[in-house]
Amino acid sequence: MYRFSFSIFLFGCANSKEDNYTITQLTPDIVINTEHIDFGGITVPYDETQTFQIINAGNADLEVSSIQIEDNEDNVYVLSTTTALVPKDESLSIDVLFEPPTYLNYNRDLLISSNDDERPEIRIPITGEGVDGPVPSISLQPQAIDFGEIPQGQTATEYFTLKNVGSGPLEITSVDLEGSTEFEIVTGFNGSVYDLEQESTIIVNYTPTSEGGSNAQIKIGSNDPYNEETVVTLLGNGGGDFEYPVAVFNCPTQPDPPTTLTMDGSQSYDPNGNTPLLYDWDLLDQPEGSTTKIDDSDSATTPFFVDVAGLYTLSLTVQNSIGLDSEPVLCSFNAVPDESIHVELSWDTNNSDLDIHLVQQGSGDPDDNLFSLDGDCCWCNPNPSWGEFGTSDDPSLSLDNRLGYGPEAVHIESPYDGDYNIFVHYFSNNGGGATTATVKVYLDGQVVKTEAQQMNASRLWFVGFVRWENGGSTYYSIEDNAQIFPGFEDPYFTALNRCE
């Protein structure tokens, strides 16, 4: 590095004496105290910090406009600063943090830009590698202890287990009990270093001395790189001002069955940030004849199939990451058919297939149009065209159950005037044997009749009919058991052949 000065000699006629003036140029002079930053191998997921210095050996301020590591989008290397001003004859220390996320070589360049005219840019290689090595891991079970309700002056004892489940020695660096003094650590910490798979039982007492609940935290510091501080929460007599997780979901109102709802509990939360949450949906009550269930009971959102009309009650409980449950939040809703005529069928055996038929009456005979393609709305013909132009006066079969129990449902949104006969056919006995069929008839959203009848295979039950006239409706029940046809094999096979 070369710096220079020069002299100017001035001569004047009036003065025989020679005047000699020397002027020195003021410039910064950047010096880096290393030519290579090498971290070597660092065990994942640990980190290491090295320091280098920027020295200003000049006689003017050194302005460092940029300190950056090229190709460092993953932030494996982190700098303590990215710009600097270094006065003359002074230095600045810069920290470089290396934290390898996996087992790779991370070779990059450190680029320093400044106002040094002779060396405006300096490039220094940085090397480091993520390597496999022994890593401790602390396990606390459980992470929350609820002592329940304890009378004043009495002492309750509980415990938790501390264990090293990692691959390197676990060092306990600190143990602090914060919160209510009604809790006490009795014993259990076996020294400060835990070897592989070593564990100890930590005993804790709770002695309430005043009304109201209490809470505290045992904070344990360690060399676990993923959990430098772990916490055990202590609760007694309701926990005082401790906030438990909260389950939240919106309850539907009067859905039209059958329909699939999405039950969404994703707005549930933990005020203390102990996440992620675990979800537990439960179906507490459902209408007679309903066979629905919650298939995905442990997700934040779950589909729920409303199969029949009536009252449903569901609950949601969430659990936070330290094992504390919320209060269950309940949801009760009544499923109400929107259609003018709505008929549901269920039965009490599996391995049996019963079918609901809604039949358009023709010549006056109750079984007229039964099993005909145009006049019988059933599993073979789920949406025939009836009445006027359009679909609102057409019947629709929305459920067909072939395994047992039901339900099945058929409805008409806006019927035209006429009689609509309701039949149940025991289509197929696959081992279920005799069964009791139950039919519910809804008119304008209100159940007007519930009918039940024991049936055997191939039998046909004429349940009753709805008479719709001048926008009004009346249901007529068929009380005569003679309408239970003793054998209906021909229509049975006719329907089977037609639908195959």
Side-chain angles (χ1 to χ4, degrees), residues 119-182:
R119 301 180 67 193
E121 285 190 352
I122 297 177
R123 188 177 298 271
I124 298 174
I126 297 181
T127 55
E129 181 183 6
V131 297
D132 190 14
V135 178
S137 178
I138 189 171
S139 171
L140 301 175
Q141 296 295 331
Q143 286 189 265
I145 298 176
D146 193 337
F147 285 82
E149 296 295 326
I150 307 299
Q152 291 183 40
Q154 294 188 14
T155 298
T157 301
E158 294 287 349
Y159 66 91
F160 66 93
T161 299
L162 186 153
K163 185 177 181 179
N164 180 10
V165 296
S167 56
L170 174 68
E171 298 179 9
I172 303 300
T173 57
S174 63
V175 178
D176 296 308
L177 177 59
E178 298 181 1
S180 172
T181 57
E182 297 176 338

Side-chain angles (χ1 to χ4, degrees), residues 57-74:
N59 52 18
D61 287 347
L62 174 66
E63 297 177 6
V64 182
S65 58
S66 174
I67 309 171
Q68 62 179 337
I69 298 172
E70 293 184 324
D71 302 321
N72 192 47
E73 291 78 8
D74 53 6

Side-chain angles (χ1 to χ4, degrees), residues 27 73-74 163 234 245 277 282 360 386 417 429 434 459-460:
T27 58
E73 291 78 8
D74 53 6
K163 185 177 181 179
L234 307 176
L277 299 177
D282 195 11
Q360 185 182 32
W386 292 358
D417 287 354
N429 174 15
R459 299 303 193 265
L460 183 71

Side-chain angles (χ1 to χ4, degrees), residues 254-278:
Q254 293 193 346
D256 176 26
T259 186
T260 298
L261 306 175
T262 297
M263 312 306 293
D264 187 354
S266 61
Q267 297 304 308
S268 302
Y269 64 96
D270 183 84
N272 300 301
N274 294 315
T275 56
L277 299 177
L278 299 179

Side-chain angles (χ1 to χ4, degrees), residues 232 254 371:
V232 175
Q254 293 193 346
F371 294 106

Side-chain angles (χ1 to χ4, degrees), residues 278-299:
L278 299 179
Y279 297 82
D280 183 17
W281 296 91
D282 195 11
L283 177 59
L284 303 179
D285 195 18
Q286 62 198 109
E288 181 182 1
S290 171
T291 59
T292 192
K293 59 183 179 178
I294 300 176
D295 292 324
D296 195 6
S297 62
D298 58 357
S299 296

Side-chain angles (χ1 to χ4, degrees), residues 391-418:
T391 59
S392 64
D393 55 7
D394 296 337
S396 177
L397 179 76
S398 52
L399 289 175
D400 176 32
N401 187 300
R402 303 184 182 187
L403 301 177
Y405 298 114
E408 294 199 3
V410 64
H411 53 257
I412 305 177
E413 181 180 345
S414 300
Y416 70 96
D417 287 354

